[in-house]
Amino acid sequence: MRIIRNYILSECLQPFTLSISVLTSVFLLGYLPQLANKVINNGVSLSAMGQVFLYYIPILLGYTLPIACLITVILTFGQMSSENEILAMRASGIHLLRLLSPLIMVGIALCLVVYILNDRIIPEAYDAQTRILQETGSQDPTAMLEPGSFINAFDKYIIFIYRMEGDQLYGVRIYQPSPNKPTRTIIAQQGEFVHVPGRDQLMIKLINGTTDVPMMNSNEFSKLNFQQDFVRIDLSKRNVRGEKKTKAMTMQEIIHKITLLRQQSIDPSPLIAEYHRRMAWSLSPLIFILLGFPFAAITHRRAKSANLMYALLFAAPYYILSLACQGMASQNVYNPIALMWAPDGLALILAIFFNWKLCTR
């Protein structure tokens, strides 16, 4: 059995190395237009962009490493199946689960690698990118905002934005904590930045929302609907370095931030969703291996391009569903923990079912 185990692992090594290299390179090429835009329009130096480019590599590994596992399994076992090697092994009395067992051990080890990436390395890379861009001298205050992050950089306000397109904002939450008083909340469907000429101020125009209005002789608020409202932010008191954005936080820092937001009566659902997304995605290498194996073991295709297409058809729905669940979890549509683990649970059920069907054939 040791000979078969070593043979399988050696056959997987080359396609895994090639897959992760090609996938990372393709995603990096897709990132180049954004870097070019920063160089041309924002005056960021080429050397700074080169450093940002390099820090993007570990960020991409969180995506490309699990997909490379899936591609490797489908290519390797698809080739073995097409050459009747799997049929010969089964005829010799070797159970298919014995072929899968070394890959399960490798998958568990890669899950640990992805966990470390999500917990430490990727947040450090995001933080380094932010620091480099800030050190270039960019004074645009809107650069301090990032969709999906609670921003404490501005005086008196905590700002959360679901989506940004230039100066246009979508899904805006503005919190105004006060000592010994409930936190005032302003929620708007849309918004936009309005720069105040000659003043160190920034105005946010809010459209279609609700705001908390203090009740007389009470610490409670009443809700007031508005079609248009303005929030003025004093930029002279902003924290230029600011607080770490969500993507730059370690998982322990996210837990600490969730605790602080709950103490301020602020809904931390987006941070809960991000925490459990990282945990769930850490299992993706093992899940993809378990999903790819039964398909590859029964296929007789020699065409590598077709096998690559099948691999992407497995991976794409997983990530699309996971990101959709994160969007719903961030808005507290349903329990964030249940939503973020739903894609893993569904994929794992499918993987167990297909492997069981394969082994009972």
Side-chain angles (χ1 to χ4, degrees), residues 264-276:
Q264 296 173 319
S265 302
I266 297 175
D267 180 15
S269 294
L271 289 177
I272 296 174
E274 173 64 16
Y275 178 86
H276 286 278

Side-chain angles (χ1 to χ4, degrees), residues 11 23 33 40 44 52 67 93 108 126 128 145-146 171 173 177 181 193 198 204 271 345 349 351:
E11 287 293 303
L23 285 171
I40 296 171
V44 180
V52 171
I67 299 176
I108 293 173
Y126 271 119
L145 300 176
E146 179 181 276
R173 295 182 187 177
K181 292 183 179 180
F193 290 112
I204 301 180
L271 289 177
I349 290 172

Side-chain angles (χ1 to χ4, degrees), residues 2-304:
R2 180 182 299 178
I3 295 175
I4 295 177
R5 181 197 64 195
N6 293 339
Y7 172 70
I8 291 173
L9 294 179
S10 63
E11 287 293 303
C12 289
L13 183 60
Q14 182 179 354
F16 177 78
T17 304
L18 184 61
S19 298
I20 199 168
S21 301
V22 171
L23 285 171
T24 304
S25 299
V26 169
F27 281 121
L28 281 173
L29 289 175
Y31 188 60
L32 281 177
Q34 297 182 40
L35 294 180
N37 178 65
K38 292 181 182 296
V39 172
I40 296 171
N41 297 329
N42 297 348
V44 180
S45 67
L46 286 173
S47 61
M49 282 299 95
Q51 295 178 59
V52 171
F53 185 79
L54 291 176
Y55 279 119
Y56 203 62
I57 294 175
I59 295 173
L60 287 176
L61 286 176
Y63 296 89
T64 59
L65 193 152
I67 299 176
C69 291
L70 178 60
I71 292 174
T72 298
V73 170
I74 290 181
L75 287 179
T76 301
F77 285 93
Q79 182 72 18
M80 292 173 63
S81 179
S82 66
E83 295 177 354
N84 295 319
E85 291 182 81
I86 293 181
L87 182 62
M89 291 179 185
R90 296 186 71 177
S92 301
I94 300 175
H95 199 276
L96 285 177
L97 287 180
R98 297 184 69 183
L99 303 181
L100 183 60
S101 58
L103 294 180
I104 291 178
M105 299 305 296
V106 172
I108 293 173
L110 290 176
C111 287
L112 179 60
V113 172
V114 176
Y115 175 83
I116 295 171
L117 279 170
N118 288 331
D119 182 33
R120 297 288 177 179
I121 299 175
I122 292 177
E124 286 290 338
Y126 271 119
D127 192 48
Q129 284 184 336
T130 303
R131 187 169 58 251
I132 290 170
L133 292 175
Q134 288 176 345
E135 289 172 355
T136 60
S138 175
Q139 298 299 318
D140 184 6
T142 63
M144 303 179 70
L145 300 176
E146 179 181 276
S149 294
F150 289 91
I151 306 300
N152 296 44
F154 304 109
D155 184 45
K156 297 190 301 182
Y157 296 108
I158 298 175
I159 300 176
F160 182 90
I161 299 169
Y162 282 104
R163 183 163 60 93
M164 289 179 60
E165 295 179 4
D167 283 350
Q168 299 299 312
L169 316 175
Y170 300 91
V172 184
R173 295 182 187 177
I174 299 178
Y175 303 96
Q176 189 175 7
S178 300
N180 304 320
K181 292 183 179 180
T183 298
R184 183 190 175 206
T185 304
I186 305 173
I187 300 175
Q189 296 179 9
Q190 299 180 36
E192 62 182 55
F193 290 112
V194 180
H195 295 273
V196 181
R199 295 186 180 182
D200 197 11
Q201 292 181 340
L202 179 70
M203 190 174 294
I204 301 180
K205 178 182 176 181
L206 303 174
I207 303 169
N208 295 331
T210 60
T211 181
D212 288 340
V213 178
M215 299 178 64
M216 294 183 63
N217 303 320
S218 173
N219 285 333
E220 298 182 353
F221 294 105
S222 62
K223 294 290 184 181
L224 177 66
N225 296 328
F226 63 83
Q227 292 184 340
Q228 191 175 105
D229 196 7
F230 293 88
V231 173
R232 190 184 299 269
I233 296 175
D234 185 359
L235 298 180
S236 63
K237 298 181 180 180
R238 75 180 186 271
N239 180 358
V240 178
R241 178 66 180 92
E243 186 178 280
K244 280 186 178 181
K245 297 177 182 178
T246 301
K247 292 180 179 179
M249 292 182 182
T250 65
M251 294 172 74
Q252 187 62 39
E253 289 172 338
I254 290 177
I255 292 175
H256 179 66
K257 182 69 173 179
I258 290 172
T259 303
L260 290 178
L261 290 176
R262 281 175 170 162
Q263 291 174 353
Q264 296 173 319
S265 302
I266 297 175
D267 180 15
S269 294
L271 289 177
I272 296 174
E274 173 64 16
Y275 178 86
H276 286 278
R277 179 197 67 80
R278 296 188 193 182
M279 292 289 292
W281 281 20
S282 297
L283 296 179
S284 56
L286 180 59
I287 291 174
F288 282 175
I289 288 173
L290 294 175
L291 274 175
F293 177 75
F295 173 80
I298 62 174
T299 186
H300 296 284
R301 293 182 177 272
R302 290 179 178 269
K304 292 185 177 180

